[in-house]
Amino acid sequence: MLPQAKSNLKSVLNNDDVYDEAASEAFPVYNKSHMICLEMPGRFGDVLVTSYGELQGNEYLDPKTAQVAIVDHVKQVCTEVRPATDEELPTPYVEEYRCALEAEMLKYVSEAYPKGSCSVYCINGKDVEGPGNDFELVAVISAARLSPQNFCTGSWRSIWNIECKDDIQVLELKGKLQVGAHYFEEGNVQLDAKHECRDSTMFQSPDDGAIAIASLIRHHETEYLASLEASYLNLPDATFKDLRRKLPVTRTLFPWHSTSQFNLTREISKELGIGK
C-alpha cells in the first residue's frame, strides 16, 4: 500500500485508536494476499510475506536462507531475524527437491520479472524421510511496479502447487495467476485478471524434475501473458465498441438532417390540445 494512501486513511478516520485497531486487522490480510516482499536486516536478503511461510504471530519463514523474519505489518518492514528451527524446516530428502526447484525458479523469475521475487515452500509432507511417500511444494512469484508519479501501478502474482506423487511417479501442477493494473490519471481504470491452469510431468530426480516444472510454469505464464496482450489489441475494435449502443431504443438511426420532427414543444402541445 502506498504511504500516501495510509496517510489519507488516517486523516479520514481522524481517530488514532480506531485507525490502529483497523490497521492491525487489515494490514496482515493485505500484505499476505499481495505477497509483499520485505528486506530482512543483516544482509539476509528479502522475504516474501505469504500464508505459506507464516509460522506464528508475525513470523514468516524464508526457505532460501532458513531464516525467520519478524514483520511489522502496519509499517511493512522486517524488524528482526532469527534462524529457523529444525521443526520449521523440511527433511533433507524433501529439501533437496525444494532447493532444486527454487534454483530453477529464481533463474526464470530473474529473466521474466525484473523486479520479481520467488520462494518455494513445502506445505505437506515436510517430514518425509525418503522415497515411497508423497509431499507437496508450492512455488510463489510476486512482482510489483509502483509508479505513483506516473499515476499507475501494476502487479503479477502466481501460485503453483506441485503435488509430488511418488507412488505413481507423477508431478501434478495447479497454477493460479493474478494480474493487477491501476491507472488513475484524470480517471480511474483498473484491471484484475485471474487465470487457473493444470499440467503434469514425470517424477524425476530433484534437478531434472525442477527443470521440467520450471519449463511448464514458464510456458503457461508466457501463454497467459500473450493472451492478455492480444485482448488489449482488440479493445478498441471489439470490447469498447460493444459497450456502446449501436442503435437507439427505437432501433432506427437518428435523423440528424431533420431534427424538427422531434420538437418537444410541438409534441407536448399536441398531446394537451393547446393551440387548437
Side-chain angles (χ1 to χ4, degrees), residues 15 82 127 132 213:
N15 187 311
R82 68 166 177 81
D127 297 327
I213 292 170

Side-chain angles (χ1 to χ4, degrees), residues 133-206:
N133 295 286
D134 300 344
F135 58 94
E136 184 176 0
L137 304 175
V138 61
V140 299
I141 299 172
S142 178
R145 186 169 185 176
L146 307 179
S147 186
Q149 69 275 15
N150 293 316
F151 306 99
C152 61
T153 62
S155 65
W156 174 286
R157 285 164 277 166
S158 53
I159 300 171
W160 292 90
N161 288 75
I162 303 104
E163 292 186 53
C164 305
K165 298 184 176 182
D166 188 270
D167 54 340
I168 57 175
Q169 293 292 291
V170 169
L171 300 173
E172 292 187 352
L173 282 74
K174 299 177 184 176
K176 294 182 179 180
L177 286 60
Q178 184 170 0
V179 182
H182 188 194
Y183 182 78
F184 47 94
E185 183 177 16
E186 297 182 359
N188 191 346
V189 180
Q190 297 191 49
L191 167 74
D192 186 12
K194 298 178 182 179
H195 177 68
E196 295 188 9
C197 50
R198 292 171 175 263
D199 213 325
S200 63
T201 186
M202 292 178 57
F203 196 125
Q204 307 172 65
S205 67

Side-chain angles (χ1 to χ4, degrees), residues 9 13 17-29 31 73-74:
L9 180 59
L13 292 174
D17 293 336
V18 172
Y19 172 82
D20 292 341
E21 182 179 355
S24 64
E25 296 179 6
F27 275 83
V29 175
N31 293 339
H73 281 287
V74 177

Side-chain angles (χ1 to χ4, degrees), residues 1 11 210:
M1 182 177 289
S11 299

Side-chain angles (χ1 to χ4, degrees), residues 6 20 27 95 114 139 144 194 205 223 245 257:
K6 297 180 186 179
D20 292 341
F27 275 83
E95 177 63 15
K194 298 178 182 179
S205 67
E223 188 177 63
R245 186 192 296 274
H257 61 281

Side-chain angles (χ1 to χ4, degrees), residues 43-253:
R43 296 183 180 179
F44 283 107
D46 298 330
V47 60
L48 281 176
V49 179
T50 75
S51 58
Y52 304 106
E54 186 175 18
L55 299 176
Q56 58 182 354
N58 294 325
E59 295 185 338
Y60 294 86
L61 173 67
D62 177 44
K64 291 189 293 291
T65 59
Q67 299 292 316
V68 175
I70 293 85
V71 173
D72 184 325
H73 281 287
V74 177
K75 295 181 179 179
Q76 293 181 322
V77 296
C78 177
T79 57
E80 298 178 48
V81 175
R82 68 166 177 81
T85 64
D86 291 341
E87 291 74 20
E88 294 167 339
L89 299 172
T91 61
Y93 173 74
V94 175
E95 177 63 15
E96 188 176 5
Y97 282 90
R98 191 210 66 78
C99 189
L101 177 57
E102 188 168 65
E104 290 299 321
M105 291 299 297
L106 288 172
K107 291 179 187 176
Y108 161 59
V109 170
S110 66
E111 297 170 3
Y113 308 100
K115 294 189 177 181
S117 298
C118 171
S119 282
V120 178
Y121 306 89
C122 178
I123 57 174
N124 283 313
K126 71 176 184 177
D127 297 327
V128 170
E129 296 285 353
N133 295 286
D134 300 344
F135 58 94
E136 184 176 0
L137 304 175
V138 61
V140 299
I141 299 172
S142 178
R145 186 169 185 176
L146 307 179
S147 186
Q149 69 275 15
N150 293 316
F151 306 99
C152 61
T153 62
S155 65
W156 174 286
R157 285 164 277 166
S158 53
I159 300 171
W160 292 90
N161 288 75
I162 303 104
E163 292 186 53
C164 305
K165 298 184 176 182
D166 188 270
D167 54 340
I168 57 175
Q169 293 292 291
V170 169
L171 300 173
E172 292 187 352
L173 282 74
K174 299 177 184 176
K176 294 182 179 180
L177 286 60
Q178 184 170 0
V179 182
H182 188 194
Y183 182 78
F184 47 94
E185 183 177 16
E186 297 182 359
N188 191 346
V189 180
Q190 297 191 49
L191 167 74
D192 186 12
K194 298 178 182 179
H195 177 68
E196 295 188 9
C197 50
R198 292 171 175 263
D199 213 325
S200 63
T201 186
M202 292 178 57
F203 196 125
Q204 307 172 65
S205 67
D207 290 338
D208 292 339
I211 293 172
I213 292 170
S215 178
L216 288 174
I217 291 175
R218 180 191 293 269
H219 167 73
H220 283 287
E221 294 196 348
T222 302
E223 188 177 63
Y224 180 55
L225 183 59
S227 71
L228 285 178
E229 292 176 341
S231 67
Y232 292 152
L233 294 176
N234 293 329
L235 280 178
D237 297 327
T239 308
F240 288 161
K241 193 173 182 180
D242 290 340
L243 290 174
R244 299 185 61 186
R245 186 192 296 274
K246 294 179 176 61
L247 292 173
V249 291
T250 60
R251 309 301 298 171
T252 59
L253 294 175

